[in-house]
Amino acid sequence: MKIAIVGSGYVGLVTGACLAESGNNVVCIDHNDEKIAGLRSGIVPFHEPLLDAVVLRESRLGNLKFTTNLGEGVHLADIIFLALGTPTGIDGYPDIDSLLQCVDDLSITLQHDCLVVVKSTVPPGTCEAIQTRFDARPAHPSGRCAITVASNPEFLAEGSAVTDFRMPARIVLGASNEIDARILKDLYMPFDPDGTRLIEMDLRSAEFSKYACNAMLAARISMINELANIAERMDADIGSACQVLKSDPRIGPRYLEPGAGYGGSCLPKDLRALIRMASDKGEPASMLHSIEQVNRRQVTLIYHAIEKYFWGCFQGRCVAVWGLAFKAGTDDIREAPSLTLIQALLEAGAQVRAYDPIAEPAVKTSLVHSELVLAGSAEQACVNADVLVVMTEWEEFMTPDFKWLASTLRSPAIFDTRDLYRGKDLNAMGLRHYRPGRIFATRPGGKPLLTGAPLLTAEVLKPPKSISRKPPISAY
Ligand SMILES: NC(=O)c1ccc[n+]([C@@H]2O[C@H](COP(=O)([O-])OP(=O)(O)OC[C@H]3O[C@@H](n4cnc5c(N)ncnc54)[C@H](O)[C@@H]3O)[C@@H](O)[C@H]2O)c1
């Protein structure tokens, strides 16, 4: 089939590359000249495992092409996917202006029958609104062509996007008629070898299912974070409780890691959108509000743990941060908790030495501060730092040289928000270890010592005489 994809970002490019790989003729369109020029010379503009190889191979084979010209890209396409960004707009409502502008441009351009498929995450009713726009377009001198609209929300996760697209857990198809549904089923046949993954429904339900899914994922993350915070207060270990939770088939094993809260380009904005849409319909969405509230608090707890460790004063302190991307496997820093933390540390007067194996270029332009150093390596980030905070679960952070860290960090402690290390290993080297909701260590006297900040504050680090004990004025 001849496919056009408008929007060549994380979703559009992966979709284009994987559909080219499955035997289609694909043109990826984007209004960003630099992005398209790069792609034409084989440069993928963001980090996504496996994607470079697929893009290169399919481009060489002539199955995958790139253009900035919408008319040229959609010429005679059987299916046109819309994979444009839908960021948070006014009052949390998704901003679908660029999507609608693209629809208006297509209305003028298209002169042949085709199926327009919305892959972007959009409010229920958007596909119907787009259909109405197409239906209202003036007839072309050569006659009116039939354009129908379907919904096919995307569920891939950054960091495993190619694998997710090749072997999806489910493919959601929202169509208004049998013919459109058939076209999409045929397209996705190679991705549903056992015939169990396609889920068909009406347009609005397909659109809604994406928000429902992200709300559920966000709920699990906030729930485990809240449980971790309570466990910490009650001298219980969330790691042990997680083992029990994960073994329950009704609960399941995934998305149960306490940490600094969710971030990224989808969960925060889609939750905001759902809250706004619910409010418009008179639904209080109380749980969704709580999920957001717990999530906002989570990174501040990490901040406060560090603040307490330094007796409330960041002046003269340097914090090393490992990991800027909102999760491992991607260079996406959109709404990354690491950036919120760094911003707060800088505002409080700390110096920050940050390192990320992939995401540093993105941060270079978005976060500029005289006291922020982007280090060239994990080790360099720790030189002259007091403590280390691990924010992203990159492979290279999994087995650091604890002995070296203990001798290098000036006030040796690791704030391990991803639960990567064993408390015993760190303690053996003389490093303090903070993990949300974890008992980790034993006091010299043999009594268990909670990792929570208050105990660390009291026992570990006496404030230097020159430093005031007054809490800093900060965003928190
Ligand atoms: N990123 C994810 O993990 C993910 C997963 C599932 C769903 N989604 C949804 O998919 C949609 C796209 O997300 P993304 O992360 O790929 O966004 P993105 O910002 O990475 O990509 C969007 C692309 O569209 C281009 N663009 C914008 N307006 C354009 C126009 N008028 N013409 C041509 N190109 C245009 C931009 O230059 C950009 O390259 C969003 O609705 C998002 O919520 C994202």
Side-chain angles (χ1 to χ4, degrees):
M1 257 192 267
K2 194 169 177 338
I3 313 277
I5 316 249
V6 192
S8 304
Y10 288 89
V11 167
L13 190 57
V14 171
T15 303
C18 293
L19 288 177
E21 188 179 49
S22 69
N24 299 288
N25 217 305
V26 180
V27 182
C28 282
I29 304 155
D30 204 286
H31 65 181
N32 183 324
D33 297 325
E34 210 181 318
K35 198 174 256 188
I36 292 300
L39 282 164
R40 279 181 170 156
S41 39
I43 300 162
V44 172
F46 50 85
H47 176 83
E48 185 57 51
L50 308 177
L51 187 58
D52 301 48
V54 186
V55 167
L56 265 182
R57 190 187 58 232
E58 296 307 317
S59 307
R60 279 201 194 121
L61 291 170
N63 301 330
L64 184 59
K65 296 196 169 73
F66 303 98
T67 182
T68 51
N69 187 315
L70 184 70
E72 183 189 301
V74 299
H75 184 62
L76 297 183
D78 302 299
I79 305 177
I80 300 167
F81 281 97
L82 305 184
L84 307 168
T86 49
T88 301
I90 297 161
D91 293 339
Y93 204 80
D95 179 352
I96 56 168
D97 284 357
S98 67
L99 193 77
L100 294 180
Q101 181 57 53
C102 175
V103 167
D104 289 345
D105 294 344
L106 285 172
S107 286
I108 298 164
T109 310
L110 289 174
Q111 293 174 38
H112 68 284
D113 296 356
C114 64
L115 175 60
V116 172
V117 181
V118 179
K119 233 187 197 322
S120 304
T121 305
V122 291
T126 303
C127 284
E128 289 168 6
I130 292 175
Q131 184 68 67
T132 306
R133 282 189 180 224
F134 280 131
D135 292 347
R137 73 197 186 284
H140 196 266
S142 58
R144 184 180 283 280
C145 57
I147 304 171
T148 47
V149 181
S151 166
N152 170 220
E154 184 50 58
F155 292 88
L156 59 75
E158 288 174 17
S160 57
V162 173
T163 311
D164 290 348
F165 199 97
R166 284 172 175 166
M167 288 178 286
R170 71 302 214 193
I171 302 158
V172 174
L173 302 182
S176 59
N177 64 73
E178 269 305 307
I179 299 169
D180 292 352
R182 185 74 261 159
I183 293 171
L184 286 172
K185 277 194 240 174
D186 288 347
L187 179 73
Y188 278 115
M189 194 103 78
F191 305 95
D192 184 25
D194 53 4
T196 58
R197 294 153 210 225
L198 279 170
I199 310 175
E200 277 182 79
M201 59 192 74
D202 62 275
L203 292 170
R204 280 178 179 248
S205 305
E207 292 167 323
F208 182 74
S209 68
K210 176 66 190 173
Y211 287 105
C213 199
N214 278 352
M216 192 62 89
L217 293 173
R220 279 176 79 91
I221 296 170
S222 279
M223 176 58 100
I224 201 63
N225 282 334
E226 184 151 283
L227 288 174
N229 300 336
I230 298 169
E232 191 170 319
R233 297 274 174 182
M234 304 187 85
D235 290 5
D237 183 75
I238 192 66
S240 306
C242 276
Q243 277 183 293
V244 178
L245 291 171
K246 289 178 181 183
S247 68
D248 187 328
R250 293 168 303 177
I251 296 172
R254 300 207 49 207
Y255 274 69
L256 287 179
E257 281 81 35
Y262 60 77
S265 66
C266 290
L267 260 51
K269 89 164 165 64
D270 291 348
L271 207 73
R272 277 195 295 271
L274 196 52
I275 288 171
R276 176 59 212 259
M277 292 186 286
S279 152
D280 282 356
K281 297 287 174 195
E283 271 301 311
S286 331
M287 267 190 74
L288 300 184
H289 282 286
S290 300
I291 293 166
E292 263 199 335
Q293 201 184 338
V294 170
N295 195 59
R296 267 198 303 272
R297 178 171 181 251
Q298 205 56 26
V299 74
T300 71
L301 293 180
I302 309 294
Y303 169 86
H304 286 308
I306 307 167
E307 182 189 46
K308 283 179 181 166
Y309 188 76
F310 290 140
W311 282 78
C313 184
F314 282 104
Q315 296 302 326
R317 296 294 188 190
C318 176
V319 178
V321 176
W322 282 359
L324 299 164
F326 82 96
K327 66 172 180 177
T330 182
D331 56 356
D332 200 341
I333 55 160
R334 289 177 277 188
E335 305 209 33
S338 61
L339 300 193
T340 312
L341 178 72
I342 291 173
Q343 192 88 49
L345 292 170
L346 292 169
E347 278 173 26
Q351 195 194 44
V352 176
R353 295 177 64 82
Y355 167 73
D356 189 288
I358 302 291
E360 280 193 21
V363 173
K364 237 175 220 154
T365 47
S366 64
L367 191 56
V368 181
H369 193 285
S370 58
E371 294 303 309
L372 171 65
V373 174
L374 294 177
S377 72
E379 286 74 22
Q380 272 181 29
C382 294
V383 173
N384 293 327
D386 289 280
V387 296
L388 168 64
V389 189
V390 184
M391 293 296 286
T392 314
E393 71 284 24
W394 285 109
E395 190 66 35
E396 71 169 88
F397 302 154
M398 298 291 175
T399 51
D401 182 343
F402 292 126
K403 199 171 165 192
W404 181 83
L405 281 172
S407 63
T408 303
L409 294 171
R410 295 189 298 211
S411 318
I414 300 184
F415 294 80
D416 173 13
T417 71
R418 294 292 185 161
D419 198 7
L420 302 184
Y421 313 128
R422 280 162 23 114
K424 275 185 191 158
D425 295 345
L426 271 73
N427 284 296
M429 297 294 166
L431 281 157
R432 293 287 159 177
H433 189 201
Y434 173 88
R435 289 181 290 176
R438 291 290 208 146
I439 297 169
F440 80 102
T442 307
R443 272 180 228 205
K447 220 175 151 225
L449 170 68
L450 268 181
T451 54
L455 279 176
L456 281 177
T457 310
E459 301 218 354
V460 182
L461 205 69
K462 299 289 177 220
K465 284 200 179 78
S466 57
I467 289 175
S468 136
R469 289 187 190 208
K470 271 204 300 196
I473 299 160
S474 78
Y476 301 96

